Amino acid sequence: MKALIIAAGNGERINHITDGKPKPLLDVLGLTLIERAILSAKKAGINEFVIVLGYKGRAIKKYLGSGEKHNVKIEYIYNREWKKENGVSILKAEKTVGETFVLLMSDHIFDYRILQNLIKKSRSKCILCVDRSPDAYIDMEDATKVRTDGKKIIDIGKDIKKYDAVDCGIFLLNKEIFKAIKESVKRGETSLSAAVKILAKNNKIEVFDIKNLFWLDVDTKKDYVQAKKLLLKNLIKQTDGPVSRHINRKVSTALTKLFLKTNTSPDTISLISLFLSVISCHFFVLGNYFSVILGGIMAQLSSIIDGCDGEVARLKFKETKSGAFFDAVLDRYADTLIIFGMVYGFWTLTGNLLVWIAGFFALSGTLINSYTSDKYKAEFCKPFVSRKMPVGRDARCFIIMIGAFLNQVFYTIVLLSIFTHIENLRRAGFVKLKNLNPGGIKKKI
């Protein structure tokens, strides 16, 4: 299946911040608007694209090329009537898109899962994605409203008074759309909404509710600012613990914006995080109070930077299994270095051999803690989410920093030992009990 992307308009309401570039090439956190549309569709399983160009179309074509940079195939169609409404641009692609295709707008950002869910639907009718509970950031004055009766469209347009949903600008279409556009053009109407009205009248289109997934039409500077906030907000993962969610992410997202400006790769950021752990180990080995504080700060900073590699990868659609594996390996080295530094520094300062026993349990608990999390995800195809006692790397590094400030290295190591092993045993018991329950976890086949 191909995706048709409309990129013909001049985006006059946002031209003052595009530096003379066409609107689809506006950079939003390291990627242009149109790249975000393409890569979201690619993540949903689409690899062939038809882009309708108009205003400054050559610049868009030069930037994207054949699509090889993103490992997709791109065809271009030029619409010389680009000043007309978007129905005309769609009509230009009639002979190129195939029997069924996805329609996207080059200035919309959206959760790829919207498209992923949409293409699973039956293709006997055209389908329009709608948002029945639009968030406050959606500009309702400019939005295309939709009045529905279940899945049936009753009315559509920007100025209709009664509505119960908003058009998201994402469609699954078939050849019926071209017949409808031709009919609406004969009536002197060139908008896509006019064609949708004709399809609705003939019972050839239905709606698909995107539910709580995000989308945004970037038309103004306000939308542009909101788009960046929305993308950063959606970096929070289901598995984030309270420290990561309420502390680390606030700092890491600010650092991520800086990394995006320098085009730093996720793997490089992972190495920076490891380097900070080496520095943390060094300071802990020195043993004196001031050095211990610096060691704790470096451990926490390492944890924060460790979140940036994933953030950059997700924002730029560069998530890979090899990258995740590389990061996981470096994290285990980082954990080992920090705990070793704490143990060795305290031992050289006090000569207390008990710290080596506590260190053994702290390190083994930490490594098993990470192992059980990864093993659970591998076996059951979903992350282990702990709400009762989340002891992830973010929490461990935060505990280490607090212990360093309190100058209680030994008791911090003991605390890590207790917390990590209790959590590991709890996870093992949780999985065992769920497996005994017929309605519990279903292992992958």
Side-chain angles (χ1 to χ4, degrees), residues 24-93:
L25 296 186
L26 181 65
D27 183 90
V28 183
L29 296 178
L31 288 174
T32 62
L33 277 171
I34 195 166
E35 282 179 300
R36 291 203 169 277
I38 290 170
L39 292 172
S40 294
K42 180 186 175 185
K43 195 169 182 179
I46 296 174
N47 294 293
E48 294 185 62
F49 298 84
V50 178
I51 300 178
V52 181
L53 303 174
Y55 176 75
K56 294 190 176 181
R58 290 180 181 176
I60 297 172
K61 184 176 181 179
K62 182 179 179 181
Y63 184 85
L64 294 175
S66 65
E68 184 178 0
K69 180 172 76 170
H70 296 302
N71 198 27
V72 297
K73 181 181 178 181
I74 301 177
E75 300 174 73
Y76 297 95
I77 296 172
Y78 189 75
N79 176 18
R80 298 184 183 280
E81 301 176 278
W82 58 266
K83 291 184 179 181
K84 294 183 179 180
E85 293 176 284
N86 52 11
V88 176
S89 290
I90 296 167
L91 198 56
K92 299 291 182 181

Side-chain angles (χ1 to χ4, degrees), residues 3 31 35-49 70-72 104 110-117 119-120 214 231 234-235 237 310-320:
L31 288 174
E35 282 179 300
R36 291 203 169 277
I38 290 170
L39 292 172
S40 294
K42 180 186 175 185
K43 195 169 182 179
I46 296 174
N47 294 293
E48 294 185 62
F49 298 84
H70 296 302
N71 198 27
V72 297
L104 304 172
F110 58 91
D111 191 314
Y112 80 96
R113 290 173 293 179
I114 296 175
L115 200 51
Q116 190 176 59
N117 295 334
I119 60 181
K120 294 176 183 177
F214 80 87
L231 288 170
N234 278 276
L235 291 173
K237 298 187 296 184
E311 291 172 359
V312 169
R314 292 195 294 280
L315 283 170
K316 300 194 76 172
F317 294 86
K318 289 186 175 181
E319 293 175 282
T320 62

Side-chain angles (χ1 to χ4, degrees), residues 159-407:
D159 300 319
I160 64 174
K161 301 301 180 182
K162 293 183 178 181
Y163 59 91
D164 59 347
V166 174
D167 173 2
C168 300
I170 301 172
F171 295 77
L172 180 60
L173 300 172
N174 56 39
K175 290 293 185 179
E176 293 295 334
I177 187 64
F178 300 115
K179 296 177 184 178
I181 293 174
K182 290 173 184 177
E183 185 176 336
S184 66
V185 169
K186 286 180 182 179
R187 298 176 182 179
E189 298 178 295
T190 57
S191 71
L192 176 57
S193 293
V196 170
K197 285 184 180 181
I198 293 172
L199 289 174
K201 182 180 178 181
N202 296 321
N203 196 30
K204 292 183 177 179
I205 189 169
E206 59 185 31
V207 296
F208 171 64
D209 185 4
I210 68 166
K211 300 191 183 297
N212 60 341
L213 298 177
F214 80 87
W215 70 282
L216 180 64
D217 178 4
V218 184
D219 267 337
T220 64
K221 183 179 180 180
K222 182 180 178 182
D223 294 334
Y224 174 65
V225 173
Q226 183 61 52
K228 292 193 285 187
K229 289 181 180 178
L230 185 61
L231 288 170
L232 291 172
K233 179 182 177 182
N234 278 276
L235 291 173
I236 296 174
K237 298 187 296 184
Q238 181 188 13
T239 54
D240 279 352
V243 173
S244 182
R245 185 178 294 269
H246 299 296
I247 299 175
N248 289 8
R249 289 289 181 201
K250 295 181 184 301
V251 182
S252 66
T253 51
L255 294 172
T256 289
K257 288 191 283 187
L258 296 177
F259 282 127
L260 290 170
K261 291 179 180 179
T262 63
N263 205 29
T264 308
S265 72
D267 286 350
T268 300
I269 298 172
S270 296
L271 288 169
I272 293 172
S273 176
L274 176 64
F275 179 68
L276 290 172
S277 298
V278 173
I279 296 175
S280 174
C281 174
H282 169 72
F283 281 127
F284 274 123
V285 164
L286 294 178
N288 63 77
Y289 180 47
F290 180 69
S291 296
V292 165
I293 290 177
L294 291 177
I297 293 172
M298 288 298 106
Q300 175 65 9
L301 186 56
S302 169
S303 175
I304 292 171
I305 296 293
D306 184 45
C308 293
D309 55 5
E311 291 172 359
V312 169
R314 292 195 294 280
L315 283 170
K316 300 194 76 172
F317 294 86
K318 289 186 175 181
E319 293 175 282
T320 62
K321 291 181 179 179
S322 60
F325 180 78
F326 181 70
D327 178 53
V329 171
L330 295 190
D331 284 351
R332 302 299 75 78
Y333 275 112
D335 291 337
T336 303
L337 283 166
I338 292 170
I339 292 175
F340 172 77
M342 294 171 70
V343 170
Y344 187 83
F346 185 81
W347 175 67
T348 56
L349 189 67
T350 66
N352 188 344
L353 292 174
L354 286 176
V355 73
W356 288 102
I357 298 173
F360 168 79
F361 284 105
L363 181 57
S364 61
T366 294
L367 296 180
I368 295 171
N369 190 241
S370 299
Y371 173 79
T372 53
S373 177
D374 293 339
K375 185 66 174 176
Y376 184 94
K377 186 175 181 179
E379 290 296 319
F380 303 114
C381 300
K382 63 179 181 180
F384 186 92
V385 181
S386 177
R387 299 299 182 193
K388 294 182 178 179
M389 193 175 77
V391 189
R393 187 163 191 263
D394 59 330
R396 296 195 301 267
C397 288
F398 186 73
I399 288 171
I400 288 170
M401 182 182 70
I402 297 300
F405 272 96
L406 296 174
N407 199 25

